[in-house]
Amino acid sequence: MPEGQPAPSDGSLPEQARSELSLRPLGIYVHVPFCLTRCGYCDFNTYTAAELAGEPGSSRAGYVDAAIHELGLAARVLGGNAPTVSTIFVGGGTPTVLPPDDLGRLIAAVDEHFGLAPDAEVTTESNPESIDSAGLHRLRELGYNRISFGMQSAVPHVLATLDRTHTAGRALRAVGEAKAVGFASISLDLIYGTPGESSNDWVESLRAALSAAPDHISAYALIVEEGTRLAARIRRGELPSTDDDDLADKYLIAEDLLTAAGHTAYEVSNWSMSAASRCRHNLGYWRSHHWWGIGPGAHSHVGGVRWWNVKHPRAYASRLASGMSPAQARELLSVEQRRVERILLELRLADGLTTSLLTSTEKSRLVDLVARRLVVVEDDMLILTRDGKLLADGVIRELLD
Ligand SMILES: C[S@@+](CC[C@H](N)C(=O)[O-])C[C@H]1O[C@@H](n2cnc3c(N)ncnc32)[C@H](O)[C@@H]1O
Ligand code: SF4
């Protein structure tokens, strides 16, 4: 996390940021910092029951009350200028370790405090083994209309290396169950490049995911995060490191198989069957809309102000209980920082980036990038090519340097 500057203890925002509220949609992210077990590759802000045992104020049972408390604070800070909420995304961690009725209370509280747009997209993440058909049915009744399951792989030895506790079959059945109870959109998350995964293993995972016909698939290159069990195993030589060429090959395999099955990549790592099945909440991040992140460690952005909450569930609960904002620190972005951030994010989208955001020096660098077939310019939109997507970070560096 960046260091930032101190955030006001009442959570207040500069008037300039609040004055932008009506200009762009507002999304609410709710972080659920609990998992049944920790996967060896994951460094998200999440805790098992054993890790939280004896930590006052950090029980699962009280968590939704604390999150609703922060929603009340958000409504007071944003005031009457806030637009109705157009997307809610409950992520984790594993939101579905909480009872569906608790997850439903989050939607009701957003509606009560802000109003929820009639066509709002309301997503929860879920681990396939943490929910059953009855639970999915209840989530639908309570207003969830989109669900994202972490499948990661269909191959037993890959799932084992990732410490996943579900089978591929369970992930695929969960998609069928979610369809049967009427979820409008269903996504599967996959990871490629796990040590020991062959290209054939990756093809098998993609084919299995496609066989369940979700309307959205995210495929992420495995990141070996410092401090994780996976990183330690690689350092000790128990597992091979990830390899950039292997990751690039697997990205292209994903693009080919998913495209052949009717999906389109609308962002570098996200494919959907139609424009309607794109994740509107995540598009809000990439398009610099406003979002308020509820929960320990959650990040927020409103009108060029970015802030992040204290990380530990105990600290989070105790701040709210004493009437303080859980924000740990914040950054007030300058006009130039906001422009650069838009370039970083929007270039990852298939719709591309308007060239009007670029300075004349940056525009002059486009000639070379176009000649090397890393980008194209169509109707004043700058769009990464297939090769450009493999080198997205490098393209952005060259453009901005
Ligand atoms: C943080 S998880 C939350 C969802 C849920 N707990 C699960 O595991 O399915 C969201 C997604 O992030 C991805 N992810 C987590 N750690 C990652 C890593 N080190 N490298 C690549 N993807 C990662 C996984 O695909 C996962 O499905
Ligand atoms: S990948 Fe998902 S289930 Fe595994 S530890 Fe991270 S958040 Fe929890």
Side-chain angles (χ1 to χ4, degrees):
M1 278 188 198
E3 236 173 58
Q5 47 178 264
S9 63
D10 61 358
S12 58
L13 285 168
E15 199 39 49
Q16 165 61 36
R18 282 167 21 97
S19 71
E20 290 185 31
L21 268 171
S22 58
L23 304 180
R24 286 181 286 280
L26 170 65
I28 301 280
Y29 172 76
V30 182
H31 187 67
V32 177
F34 308 120
C35 284
L36 295 175
T37 55
R38 179 179 284 275
C39 310
Y41 59 92
C42 178
D43 81 339
F44 279 68
N45 188 34
T46 186
Y47 305 83
T48 61
E51 285 166 346
L52 289 178
E55 295 276 6
S58 62
S59 75
R60 287 184 195 168
Y63 180 66
V64 166
D65 288 332
I68 290 175
H69 200 134
E70 190 186 354
L71 276 169
L73 173 101
R76 282 196 302 284
V77 168
L78 299 181
N81 243 0
T84 55
V85 167
S86 48
T87 61
I88 301 176
F89 193 105
V90 183
T94 307
T96 46
V97 300
L98 297 179
D101 284 74
D102 266 356
L103 297 176
R105 286 167 58 211
L106 293 169
I107 305 180
V110 170
D111 196 25
E112 182 193 325
H113 285 295
F114 294 93
L116 190 57
D119 66 341
E121 174 194 271
V122 186
T123 305
T124 184
E125 289 186 326
S126 179
N127 284 37
E129 76 284 13
S130 67
I131 189 112
D132 59 14
S133 194
L136 290 166
H137 185 251
R138 187 71 187 132
L139 288 175
R140 264 304 288 136
E141 281 180 340
L142 293 164
Y144 287 87
N145 51 29
R146 187 172 182 279
I147 190 155
S148 172
F149 293 110
M151 170 173 170
Q152 320 311 353
S153 171
V155 178
H157 76 87
V158 177
L159 287 169
T161 303
L162 293 174
D163 296 326
R164 301 295 291 189
T165 56
H166 55 83
T167 59
R170 175 60 211 142
L172 302 177
R173 275 196 307 283
V175 174
E177 291 164 3
K179 281 188 188 174
V181 300
F183 274 87
S185 180
I186 302 164
S187 181
L188 287 175
D189 280 354
L190 296 173
I191 286 183
Y192 56 92
T194 299
E197 180 192 58
S198 67
S199 293
N200 283 342
D201 290 336
W202 177 228
V203 169
E204 190 179 327
S205 293
L206 287 161
R207 292 219 168 108
L210 287 168
S211 74
D215 63 358
H216 187 284
I217 293 183
S218 304
Y220 301 113
L222 179 71
I223 300 170
V224 180
E225 304 280 5
E226 266 317 303
T228 57
R229 272 203 314 278
L230 177 72
R233 291 178 70 192
I234 291 175
R235 206 174 37 250
R236 289 198 298 266
E238 286 169 33
L239 292 171
S241 325
T242 52
D243 173 87
D244 284 348
D245 290 338
D246 175 63
L247 292 174
D249 288 347
K250 286 178 176 159
Y251 181 77
L252 295 179
I253 290 173
E255 171 65 0
D256 288 345
L257 283 185
L258 296 175
T259 306
H263 281 269
T264 305
Y266 65 99
E267 191 270 346
V268 172
S269 306
N270 287 278
W271 286 260
S272 72
M273 285 300 278
S274 68
S277 46
R278 297 173 178 186
C279 177
R280 278 165 53 202
H281 184 84
N282 287 342
L283 280 168
Y285 298 144
W286 297 315
R287 292 191 171 136
S288 306
H289 294 168
H290 311 296
W291 73 89
W292 192 298
I294 301 282
H299 286 233
S300 303
H301 168 259
V302 172
V305 180
R306 238 187 347 223
W307 70 95
W308 47 95
N309 285 348
V310 290
K311 214 173 156 193
H312 199 280
R314 176 184 12 87
Y316 174 76
S318 93
R319 287 260 195 138
L320 284 164
S322 58
M324 280 168 68
S325 153
Q328 175 178 308
R330 74 179 188 184
E331 281 181 329
L332 309 182
L333 300 179
S334 66
V335 171
E336 176 59 7
Q337 282 172 317
R338 291 177 80 176
R339 185 187 76 86
V340 168
E341 187 148 307
R342 280 191 61 186
I343 294 173
L344 295 176
L345 294 168
E346 290 175 38
L347 197 56
R348 297 178 61 87
L349 295 172
D351 293 343
L353 165 79
T354 166
T355 52
S356 64
L357 269 183
L358 302 178
T359 63
S360 46
T361 315
E362 286 159 359
K363 280 186 186 147
S364 69
R365 296 187 181 120
L366 289 181
V367 182
D368 184 47
L369 289 167
V370 169
R372 283 154 57 209
R373 297 177 198 273
L374 295 171
V375 296
V376 291
V377 181
E378 284 170 12
D379 298 332
D380 292 326
M381 297 300 280
L382 178 63
I383 300 170
L384 290 173
T385 60
R386 183 178 157 96
D387 285 346
K389 286 196 266 183
L390 288 175
L391 300 169
D393 292 343
V395 171
I396 289 166
R397 265 198 308 277
E398 271 191 53
L399 195 61
L400 292 174
D401 263 349

